[in-house]
Amino acid sequence: MEFLVNIQISWPHGMDPEHKESVSQEERRRAAELAASGHLVRMWRVPGRTENWGLWQAADPTELHTIISSLPVWPWMTVTVHSLATHPVDPTPR
């Protein structure tokens, strides 16, 4: 299944900058692993915000939850998920 996922990050005020940088580096490593495994298909940044939209693949919503919650930034995320279905006029060959 494909999912369109919006992730907003709210870092706590006063968070230790070194800890924040460490978590951010871990996040990039984990995202690269998820991309290599085919779960993270595409990612777009929302300019001027700590927010992104991504196209994710998972067997079902439960697997997607497991994948998203494995991200190091998970404790500071607000996540909105939209399940996607094939559209009959989608021009992309499948």
Side-chain angles (χ1 to χ4, degrees):
M1 292 184 70
E2 291 181 313
F3 300 90
L4 185 62
V5 179
N6 175 253
I7 297 173
Q8 297 178 12
I9 300 169
S10 298
W11 296 108
H13 295 292
M15 183 177 195
D16 176 55
E18 289 180 16
H19 180 61
K20 181 179 174 183
E21 181 58 28
S22 174
V23 170
S24 295
Q25 288 177 9
E26 291 174 30
E27 182 80 5
R28 288 183 198 99
R29 281 192 292 276
R30 181 67 180 134
E33 292 171 359
L34 292 169
S37 68
H39 291 295
L40 176 54
V41 179
R42 296 284 311 269
M43 181 68 67
W44 297 269
R45 176 187 313 261
V46 177
R49 300 170 84 171
T50 52
E51 179 179 350
N52 64 66
W53 284 90
L55 180 62
W56 295 77
Q57 283 196 333
D60 54 42
T62 299
E63 182 184 34
L64 180 69
H65 176 78
T66 300
I67 291 166
I68 297 291
S69 63
S70 76
L71 292 165
V73 179
W74 170 253
W76 302 285
M77 288 181 174
T78 301
V79 180
T80 305
V81 177
H82 302 276
S83 299
L84 301 175
T86 304
H87 194 285
V89 299
D90 181 1
T92 305
R94 301 227 175 238

